[in-house]
PDB file of all heavy atoms in Angstrom:
ATOM      1  N   MET A 111      -8.877   7.229  -3.224  1.00  0.00           N
ATOM      2  CA  MET A 111      -8.779   6.501  -1.933  1.00  0.00           C
ATOM      3  C   MET A 111      -9.433   5.103  -2.136  1.00  0.00           C
ATOM      4  O   MET A 111      -8.911   4.066  -1.576  1.00  0.00           O
ATOM      5  CB  MET A 111      -9.395   7.238  -0.782  1.00  0.00           C
ATOM      6  CG  MET A 111      -9.065   6.564   0.558  1.00  0.00           C
ATOM      7  SD  MET A 111      -7.261   6.286   0.861  1.00  0.00           S
ATOM      8  CE  MET A 111      -6.747   7.909   1.355  1.00  0.00           C
ATOM      9  N   SER A 112     -10.470   5.004  -2.874  1.00  0.00           N
ATOM     10  CA  SER A 112     -11.149   3.698  -3.099  1.00  0.00           C
ATOM     11  C   SER A 112     -10.163   2.722  -3.797  1.00  0.00           C
ATOM     12  O   SER A 112     -10.045   1.592  -3.394  1.00  0.00           O
ATOM     13  CB  SER A 112     -12.400   3.849  -3.847  1.00  0.00           C
ATOM     14  OG  SER A 112     -13.407   4.462  -3.069  1.00  0.00           O
ATOM     15  N   LYS A 113      -9.507   3.320  -4.814  1.00  0.00           N
ATOM     16  CA  LYS A 113      -8.538   2.450  -5.591  1.00  0.00           C
ATOM     17  C   LYS A 113      -7.380   1.948  -4.606  1.00  0.00           C
ATOM     18  O   LYS A 113      -6.973   0.925  -4.645  1.00  0.00           O
ATOM     19  CB  LYS A 113      -8.051   3.192  -6.745  1.00  0.00           C
ATOM     20  CG  LYS A 113      -9.011   3.392  -7.874  1.00  0.00           C
ATOM     21  CD  LYS A 113      -8.545   4.370  -8.981  1.00  0.00           C
ATOM     22  CE  LYS A 113      -9.596   4.700  -9.942  1.00  0.00           C
ATOM     23  NZ  LYS A 113      -9.141   5.578 -10.952  1.00  0.00           N
ATOM     24  N   ALA A 114      -6.937   2.960  -3.843  1.00  0.00           N
ATOM     25  CA  ALA A 114      -5.745   2.672  -2.950  1.00  0.00           C
ATOM     26  C   ALA A 114      -6.140   1.690  -1.838  1.00  0.00           C
ATOM     27  O   ALA A 114      -5.422   0.751  -1.571  1.00  0.00           O
ATOM     28  CB  ALA A 114      -5.274   3.991  -2.388  1.00  0.00           C
ATOM     29  N   PHE A 115      -7.341   1.861  -1.319  1.00  0.00           N
ATOM     30  CA  PHE A 115      -7.869   0.982  -0.279  1.00  0.00           C
ATOM     31  C   PHE A 115      -8.016  -0.477  -0.807  1.00  0.00           C
ATOM     32  O   PHE A 115      -7.492  -1.366  -0.115  1.00  0.00           O
ATOM     33  CB  PHE A 115      -9.179   1.528   0.250  1.00  0.00           C
ATOM     34  CG  PHE A 115      -9.701   0.820   1.453  1.00  0.00           C
ATOM     35  CD1 PHE A 115      -9.224   1.301   2.776  1.00  0.00           C
ATOM     36  CD2 PHE A 115     -10.563  -0.230   1.416  1.00  0.00           C
ATOM     37  CE1 PHE A 115      -9.719   0.662   3.898  1.00  0.00           C
ATOM     38  CE2 PHE A 115     -11.008  -0.800   2.587  1.00  0.00           C
ATOM     39  CZ  PHE A 115     -10.584  -0.375   3.837  1.00  0.00           C
ATOM     40  N   LYS A 116      -8.568  -0.680  -1.945  1.00  0.00           N
ATOM     41  CA  LYS A 116      -8.744  -2.001  -2.520  1.00  0.00           C
ATOM     42  C   LYS A 116      -7.401  -2.589  -2.686  1.00  0.00           C
ATOM     43  O   LYS A 116      -7.123  -3.821  -2.435  1.00  0.00           O
ATOM     44  CB  LYS A 116      -9.474  -1.921  -3.804  1.00  0.00           C
ATOM     45  CG  LYS A 116      -9.691  -3.389  -4.363  1.00  0.00           C
ATOM     46  CD  LYS A 116     -10.241  -3.411  -5.773  1.00  0.00           C
ATOM     47  CE  LYS A 116     -10.424  -4.777  -6.356  1.00  0.00           C
ATOM     48  NZ  LYS A 116      -9.134  -5.666  -6.292  1.00  0.00           N
ATOM     49  N   THR A 117      -6.413  -1.824  -3.271  1.00  0.00           N
ATOM     50  CA  THR A 117      -5.051  -2.335  -3.461  1.00  0.00           C
ATOM     51  C   THR A 117      -4.399  -2.806  -2.155  1.00  0.00           C
ATOM     52  O   THR A 117      -3.709  -3.831  -2.048  1.00  0.00           O
ATOM     53  CB  THR A 117      -4.186  -1.293  -4.231  1.00  0.00           C
ATOM     54  OG1 THR A 117      -4.911  -1.050  -5.539  1.00  0.00           O
ATOM     55  CG2 THR A 117      -2.864  -1.837  -4.504  1.00  0.00           C
ATOM     56  N   LEU A 118      -4.582  -1.955  -1.142  1.00  0.00           N
ATOM     57  CA  LEU A 118      -3.984  -2.336   0.181  1.00  0.00           C
ATOM     58  C   LEU A 118      -4.607  -3.558   0.725  1.00  0.00           C
ATOM     59  O   LEU A 118      -3.929  -4.376   1.337  1.00  0.00           O
ATOM     60  CB  LEU A 118      -4.118  -1.076   1.146  1.00  0.00           C
ATOM     61  CG  LEU A 118      -3.333  -1.352   2.482  1.00  0.00           C
ATOM     62  CD1 LEU A 118      -1.852  -1.254   2.254  1.00  0.00           C
ATOM     63  CD2 LEU A 118      -3.840  -0.393   3.546  1.00  0.00           C
ATOM     64  N   MET A 119      -5.911  -3.780   0.525  1.00  0.00           N
ATOM     65  CA  MET A 119      -6.578  -4.970   1.030  1.00  0.00           C
ATOM     66  C   MET A 119      -5.935  -6.187   0.366  1.00  0.00           C
ATOM     67  O   MET A 119      -5.695  -7.243   0.983  1.00  0.00           O
ATOM     68  CB  MET A 119      -8.048  -4.960   0.839  1.00  0.00           C
ATOM     69  CG  MET A 119      -8.825  -3.835   1.601  1.00  0.00           C
ATOM     70  SD  MET A 119      -8.439  -3.783   3.388  1.00  0.00           S
ATOM     71  CE  MET A 119      -7.317  -2.468   3.398  1.00  0.00           C
ATOM     72  N   ASP A 120      -5.856  -6.120  -0.956  1.00  0.00           N
ATOM     73  CA  ASP A 120      -5.249  -7.218  -1.735  1.00  0.00           C
ATOM     74  C   ASP A 120      -3.790  -7.516  -1.179  1.00  0.00           C
ATOM     75  O   ASP A 120      -3.411  -8.666  -1.015  1.00  0.00           O
ATOM     76  CB  ASP A 120      -5.141  -6.872  -3.236  1.00  0.00           C
ATOM     77  CG  ASP A 120      -6.440  -6.971  -3.969  1.00  0.00           C
ATOM     78  OD1 ASP A 120      -7.378  -7.652  -3.428  1.00  0.00           O
ATOM     79  OD2 ASP A 120      -6.546  -6.371  -5.087  1.00  0.00           O
ATOM     80  N   TYR A 121      -3.085  -6.469  -0.994  1.00  0.00           N
ATOM     81  CA  TYR A 121      -1.661  -6.558  -0.477  1.00  0.00           C
ATOM     82  C   TYR A 121      -1.686  -7.236   0.866  1.00  0.00           C
ATOM     83  O   TYR A 121      -0.879  -8.169   1.181  1.00  0.00           O
ATOM     84  CB  TYR A 121      -1.043  -5.231  -0.447  1.00  0.00           C
ATOM     85  CG  TYR A 121       0.300  -5.141   0.156  1.00  0.00           C
ATOM     86  CD1 TYR A 121       1.496  -5.753  -0.403  1.00  0.00           C
ATOM     87  CD2 TYR A 121       0.566  -4.410   1.358  1.00  0.00           C
ATOM     88  CE1 TYR A 121       2.727  -5.711   0.080  1.00  0.00           C
ATOM     89  CE2 TYR A 121       1.837  -4.300   1.870  1.00  0.00           C
ATOM     90  CZ  TYR A 121       2.965  -4.996   1.291  1.00  0.00           C
ATOM     91  OH  TYR A 121       4.171  -4.856   1.807  1.00  0.00           O
ATOM     92  N   GLY A 122      -2.560  -6.786   1.760  1.00  0.00           N
ATOM     93  CA  GLY A 122      -2.684  -7.318   3.126  1.00  0.00           C
ATOM     94  C   GLY A 122      -2.952  -8.795   3.167  1.00  0.00           C
ATOM     95  O   GLY A 122      -2.372  -9.590   3.828  1.00  0.00           O
ATOM     96  N   PHE A 123      -3.982  -9.107   2.456  1.00  0.00           N
ATOM     97  CA  PHE A 123      -4.525 -10.513   2.477  1.00  0.00           C
ATOM     98  C   PHE A 123      -3.656 -11.455   1.623  1.00  0.00           C
ATOM     99  O   PHE A 123      -3.354 -12.625   2.037  1.00  0.00           O
ATOM    100  CB  PHE A 123      -5.952 -10.596   2.008  1.00  0.00           C
ATOM    101  CG  PHE A 123      -6.933 -10.060   3.048  1.00  0.00           C
ATOM    102  CD1 PHE A 123      -7.879  -9.112   2.639  1.00  0.00           C
ATOM    103  CD2 PHE A 123      -6.974 -10.493   4.344  1.00  0.00           C
ATOM    104  CE1 PHE A 123      -8.794  -8.591   3.593  1.00  0.00           C
ATOM    105  CE2 PHE A 123      -7.860 -10.048   5.288  1.00  0.00           C
ATOM    106  CZ  PHE A 123      -8.819  -9.053   4.915  1.00  0.00           C
ATOM    107  N   ILE A 124      -3.152 -11.061   0.499  1.00  0.00           N
ATOM    108  CA  ILE A 124      -2.453 -11.926  -0.434  1.00  0.00           C
ATOM    109  C   ILE A 124      -0.965 -11.974  -0.094  1.00  0.00           C
ATOM    110  O   ILE A 124      -0.351 -13.021   0.181  1.00  0.00           O
ATOM    111  CB  ILE A 124      -2.673 -11.531  -1.898  1.00  0.00           C
ATOM    112  CG1 ILE A 124      -4.193 -11.708  -2.192  1.00  0.00           C
ATOM    113  CG2 ILE A 124      -1.815 -12.410  -2.829  1.00  0.00           C
ATOM    114  CD1 ILE A 124      -4.614 -11.134  -3.540  1.00  0.00           C
ATOM    115  N   ASP A 125      -0.284 -10.712  -0.112  1.00  0.00           N
ATOM    116  CA  ASP A 125       1.106 -10.702   0.058  1.00  0.00           C
ATOM    117  C   ASP A 125       1.536 -10.844   1.510  1.00  0.00           C
ATOM    118  O   ASP A 125       2.479 -11.606   1.814  1.00  0.00           O
ATOM    119  CB  ASP A 125       1.718  -9.441  -0.492  1.00  0.00           C
ATOM    120  CG  ASP A 125       1.488  -9.269  -1.965  1.00  0.00           C
ATOM    121  OD1 ASP A 125       1.733 -10.274  -2.712  1.00  0.00           O
ATOM    122  OD2 ASP A 125       0.995  -8.210  -2.456  1.00  0.00           O
TER     123      ASP A 125
END
Side-chain angles (χ1 to χ4, degrees):
M111 189 56 78
S112 291
K113 293 174 185 178
F115 191 85
K116 180 188 181 309
T117 301
L118 187 72
M119 296 307 100
D120 286 340
Y121 175 67
F123 287 128
I124 297 166
D125 296 315

